Amino acid sequence: MCRVFGLLDSRLGHDELHRLGDEAARLLQHGGPDGHAHRVFDGVLVGGTRLAISDPAHGWQPFTADGFTVFYNGEIYNAPELRRRLAAEGVRFRTRCDGEVIAPLFARHGTAAAGLLDGMFAVAAYEHRTGRLTLVRDRAGVKPLYVFADGERFGFASELPALLRLRGTAVRLDADALDRYLRFKAPFGAVPDPGAPGDPTLVEGVYTLPPGHALEVAPGGAPRLTAAGAVSPTPHDDPEAGLAGLLPDLVAGMLPSDVPYCAVLSGGLDSTVVTTLATRAGGPLTAFTVVPRTASAYDELPFARLAARVNGARLEEVRVGGADVPEVLPAVVRSLGQPNSDPIIVSTYRLFEAVRAAGFPVALTGDASDELFGGYDRFRALAHSGDSGAYRDALSGMPVSWHHSLYTAGAREHLEGVRRPDAGPWAVPGAGDPAGAAAEFELRHRLPVYHLQRVDHLSAAHSVEARVPFCRDGVTALGRSLGTDRKIGPDGTVKVVLANAAARHAWAPAEILGRPKQPFTFRLSDHLLDEGAVALGWARQVLTDPSVARRALFDPGRVEKLLAEFEERRTERLAHAVWALLVLELWLRQTGGGSL
């Protein structure tokens, strides 16, 4: 885990670029607390902060070789193989750090080097001879990278606050992205703007580099976005055997040798499999799970304890309740970068806080398995009915009847003029495999923005690197090769391939293999109503503040009515509508945004 940043602005002198480098590093220090560095060339700033995991004593950035200066965030898991190949070509290495392979690869292969890297990464490579800057992002989208392009100015950073500091202009909201946030809990699902340097964010003019893409910026030229190193689906006659022959070695190769590591264990199939394989490769470990402080239907503690016991793991139980919300949520929102209204955000923040307090800079998680292997009920429902409209509605946490009615008339009119086309499967009727089209949509759009970005930012907030075995190239290639009939059984069983492999090889106890899927999260109505409804009272105070009315985004009377209706009916959908507005309002206060 590190953080990267940079700015191209020919109008700025060295002193100003150095000052901006220091400021960006301070804003990114939590994600790289062990040191920072930056380099300034003519009109160019590139830099980063470091969380020392690979070769802690010597692996300091930047890596400079063959006319390239490289900063990167993440881990290159196939670095040992790449080092051997490069050493045979005469490259000499000074450290054991995985990132040292990147500069010689770029010198030999250009942007095609991205296709040789297997890992999670956001790379910034500056070529001294041409002055060209190249950014690349891993294929799954584990490591985020925000960018802006404004005339001859271009900037990038691993987190939005640092990028906004480099850009230095007022924050204006992207109305379409705001609407997508309310619809889908995070701003994803748009067809990218023609000629834009990436996918839109909630800030107008700021984009995220799409997963598996490269962005090249030459002096005086416009950014050029290209696909970089896609991994083709890999069909298997026996996918269970293919997964069993692949996943254990990949997990073993992700265990750090220089620092301690742990696992995140919900008690579900995915995290249990990762915990089991990590234990078999490296011995018993410590696992962390989240437990609601008050009774909840979402409490998975018995299963987490079972998975820990069969693996000889020490289980740390992180207890979270609604009373934590007023204290913690502002810090959570600040760490998220973009608003994300998944109810898991508070518990995830607390979990990684406990991970770091216990001395672990690396945590393995079971994220992304549901997207790859068909784990969501909405996939099963879509496969059965073919109703992509119902699938779209399942992605939303807010009742449709409330969604548009919350806007002021002016905001609604503005939104109608700036809507982007949808990229979801409901926008392309007649797909032969609607559930398969939905899975591809989620892997490309929802997983990086809604899920992986959240995990990355909330772990980085506590100087923890979250490693995601199900996002390894080999696993994603296998998962993407499976048709819906191989993921979802005729009886409605989900994640058939993973469950069968786990059963064959005892990756999980029978009680976990046979249990229904349950989200590693909290009921929002519990969050808002448990422990004396402290969170709800605070939410009401925030959402009825006069500043909300002054922004003229939402009708104050409709917001009041929403709060009253939730208190009366206490449904999960209404709770989510309140939560989404609360998260957004805190973000608007922190960024100074609000105008459309």
Side-chain angles (χ1 to χ4, degrees):
M1 170 72 71
C2 301
R3 286 319 204 212
V4 296
F5 58 85
L7 179 67
L8 279 67
D9 189 339
S10 60
R11 300 169 304 176
L12 298 182
H14 279 47
D15 289 347
E16 178 66 7
L17 289 170
H18 278 299
R19 185 183 65 80
L20 288 170
D22 288 338
E23 293 184 8
R26 280 195 294 272
L27 289 169
L28 295 169
Q29 185 176 11
H30 52 272
D34 297 321
H36 70 271
H38 65 259
R39 298 290 182 268
V40 169
F41 310 101
D42 288 339
V44 178
L45 162 71
V46 288
T49 64
R50 186 187 185 211
L51 176 62
I53 291 175
S54 178
D55 195 1
H58 305 103
W60 298 101
Q61 299 189 46
F63 292 107
T64 301
D66 297 332
F68 281 84
T69 291
V70 167
F71 286 90
Y72 80 110
N73 170 25
E75 298 291 331
I76 312 301
Y77 297 122
N78 65 335
E81 172 194 338
L82 294 172
R83 290 171 75 94
R84 288 191 293 271
R85 187 186 310 176
L86 290 166
E89 297 176 7
V91 176
R92 300 182 64 181
F93 294 99
R94 299 177 291 104
T95 78
R96 293 182 293 105
C97 188
D98 57 306
E100 199 175 0
V101 302
I102 298 173
L105 285 174
F106 267 85
R108 286 157 177 76
H109 303 284
T111 57
L116 303 175
L117 303 175
D118 179 7
M120 54 178 192
F121 51 84
V123 173
Y126 177 75
E127 186 177 16
H128 295 261
R129 180 179 60 84
T130 62
R132 177 184 290 109
L133 176 72
T134 302
L135 308 178
V136 296
R137 187 179 178 195
D138 67 79
R139 286 171 280 278
V142 181
K143 290 295 154 191
L145 199 59
Y146 299 87
V147 301
F148 78 84
D150 180 12
E152 294 187 6
R153 299 180 71 240
F154 173 84
F156 67 93
S158 295
E159 296 185 17
L160 189 58
L163 184 75
L164 295 179
R165 179 64 195 91
L166 293 172
R167 192 174 73 153
T169 56
V171 172
R172 290 183 59 86
L173 293 178
D174 185 300
D176 177 72
L178 169 65
D179 193 63
R180 290 176 187 279
Y181 163 74
L182 294 179
R183 288 163 62 195
F184 301 133
K185 310 176 197 174
F188 65 84
V191 173
D193 299 328
D199 295 331
T201 72
L202 213 66
V203 178
E204 188 176 77
V206 172
Y207 303 84
T208 56
L209 183 61
H213 279 69
L215 191 64
E216 294 179 281
V217 189
R224 188 170 71 95
L225 182 68
T226 58
V231 174
S232 300
T234 306
H236 287 266
D237 293 333
D238 184 348
E240 287 90 354
L243 186 62
L246 181 69
L247 191 57
D249 287 341
L250 293 181
V251 171
M254 297 174 74
L255 305 181
S257 58
D258 295 326
V259 298
Y261 59 89
C262 66
V264 174
L265 178 60
S266 69
L269 176 61
D270 310 329
S271 62
T272 299
V273 166
V274 170
T275 299
T276 298
L277 296 180
T279 299
R280 291 181 182 178
L285 46 67
T286 299
F288 290 78
T289 195
V290 174
V291 185
R293 275 202 299 266
T294 56
S296 171
Y298 284 10
D299 188 353
E300 299 185 88
L301 183 57
F303 297 102
R305 285 175 172 170
L306 171 62
R309 185 171 67 252
V310 299
N311 281 295
R314 175 181 175 177
L315 186 65
E316 295 287 346
E317 300 171 8
V318 182
R319 298 190 175 269
V320 180
D324 293 319
V325 170
E327 175 193 353
V328 177
L329 190 58
V332 173
V333 172
R334 188 175 297 109
S335 301
L336 281 171
Q338 292 194 86
N340 183 312
S341 63
D342 190 312
I344 203 174
I345 56 178
V346 170
S347 50
T348 301
Y349 184 88
R350 283 292 203 206
L351 183 142
F352 284 116
E353 180 181 51
V355 165
R356 186 64 195 198
F360 295 100
V362 173
L364 279 77
T365 82
D367 296 291
S369 170
D370 289 314
E371 287 80 3
L372 277 172
F373 295 107
Y376 292 120
D377 288 342
R378 58 180 176 269
F379 290 157
R380 176 170 51 194
L382 184 57
H384 175 72
S385 70
D387 186 352
S388 58
Y391 163 78
R392 175 194 58 205
D393 294 342
L395 293 178
S396 173
M398 183 174 291
V400 174
S401 60
W402 278 101
H403 175 203
H404 283 290
S405 68
L406 286 167
Y407 290 121
T408 62
R412 194 178 303 116
E413 181 180 359
H414 181 82
L415 172 63
E416 291 303 321
V418 296
R419 285 192 188 279
R420 297 181 179 92
D422 276 347
W426 58 87
V428 187
D433 178 9
E440 280 299 312
F441 164 72
E442 295 207 21
L443 287 167
R444 165 63 180 85
H445 292 278
R446 183 178 183 272
L447 177 66
V449 177
Y450 176 71
H451 203 103
L452 296 176
Q453 180 177 292
R454 180 184 71 235
V455 172
D456 172 85
H457 282 27
L458 296 183
S459 59
H462 301 292
S463 304
V464 175
E465 177 175 278
R467 297 190 174 185
V468 192
F470 288 110
C471 284
R472 291 292 302 272
D473 286 346
V475 181
T476 58
L478 188 153
R480 294 181 107 142
S481 74
L482 301 174
T484 300
D485 60 331
R486 302 299 297 270
K487 297 179 181 181
I488 301 173
D491 60 351
T493 305
V494 297
K495 288 194 287 196
V496 171
V497 167
L498 178 61
N500 287 348
R504 283 188 195 178
H505 301 281
W507 291 350
E511 296 90 335
I512 291 175
L513 284 168
R515 63 175 294 216
K517 175 177 170 51
Q518 180 174 321
F520 187 40
T521 187
F522 281 73
R523 282 178 53 83
L524 268 175
S525 50
D526 292 344
H527 253 336
L528 293 172
L529 294 170
D530 73 354
E531 301 183 319
V534 172
L536 180 59
W538 176 67
R540 174 177 285 281
Q541 180 183 356
V542 171
L543 293 177
T544 57
D545 187 89
S547 63
V548 177
R550 286 195 296 270
R551 284 197 186 90
L553 291 174
F554 303 112
D555 184 312
R558 295 294 294 171
V559 174
E560 285 270 16
K561 186 175 179 181
L562 172 64
L563 287 161
E565 186 167 337
F566 168 68
E567 290 184 87
E568 178 183 346
R569 294 171 53 195
R570 301 189 176 191
T571 68
E572 194 67 5
R573 274 293 183 93
L574 289 172
H576 197 105
V578 172
W579 186 257
L581 292 179
L582 176 61
V583 169
L584 177 65
E585 173 59 22
L586 294 174
W587 182 83
L588 291 170
R589 293 181 182 186
Q590 292 171 4
T591 59
S595 60
L596 290 174

